[in-house]
Amino acid sequence: MMDQEQPFDLSTRYVVMDDDGAAIPVPVSNTFFADLERQFGDFAGKRLVAHFTFDQDWDSWEMHPAGDEFVCLLSGQAELVLEQNGTEAVIPLKTPGTYVLVPRGIWHTARVFKPSSMLFITPGAGTQHRSH
């Protein structure tokens, strides 16, 4: 029998998955990203499964050099903007269950049209951010 008999809530515990197949619940807090770094170092070989809600456009761009990112709309309406070599591609997310695979190394941001909830599976090693 498994040790875990109660379900977790993705709004209070994200999951770190590693290349060895382990899935490690991690409590969400105000110091979450600093806690991740303390516990997992540079995050090489790991992916973060997380849930975020948005009521406005993202205030920055991000890029993940370690792999593709899975972004799935759970509710609301938004669009992802992907940028490569100065060219932008806009991908609408209008229907729950719609998802985008953001390619490794591609800068991306989101515009939010209705409050939105999204599920992410992110290869976090080396993630970069830049302002708009």
Side-chain angles (χ1 to χ4, degrees):
M1 183 169 202
M2 296 178 57
D3 292 335
Q4 176 58 39
E5 295 180 7
Q6 298 296 317
F8 290 115
D9 181 340
L10 197 54
S11 66
T12 60
R13 286 183 188 241
Y14 296 156
V15 179
V16 173
M17 301 182 82
D18 69 23
D19 286 343
D20 294 330
I24 305 150
V26 180
V28 176
S29 70
N30 291 340
T31 59
F32 176 75
F33 289 103
D35 295 343
L36 271 188
E37 187 173 333
R38 272 193 301 282
Q39 187 171 353
F40 300 102
D42 67 2
F43 222 67
K46 295 175 179 51
R47 284 159 303 288
L48 178 65
V49 179
H51 170 258
F52 293 98
T53 55
F54 306 97
D55 58 8
Q56 59 187 359
D57 296 352
W58 294 4
D59 61 2
S60 65
W61 293 81
E62 65 178 23
M63 185 270 290
H64 311 289
D68 300 345
E69 180 178 39
F70 172 89
V71 180
C72 180
L73 182 72
L74 300 177
S75 66
Q77 186 177 8
E79 63 187 17
L80 282 185
V81 182
L82 282 55
E83 180 195 76
Q84 185 174 23
N85 301 323
T87 301
E88 291 185 359
V90 177
I91 303 169
L93 296 171
K94 296 180 179 181
T95 307
T98 304
Y99 69 91
V100 176
L101 298 174
V102 179
R104 169 194 317 253
I106 297 297
W107 286 97
H108 55 284
T109 191
R111 296 182 189 126
V112 177
F113 300 108
K114 293 181 181 176
S116 298
S117 173
M118 297 180 193
L119 175 70
F120 296 83
I121 303 175
T122 307
T127 293
Q128 299 174 34
H129 294 89
R130 71 173 197 218
S131 58
H132 282 279

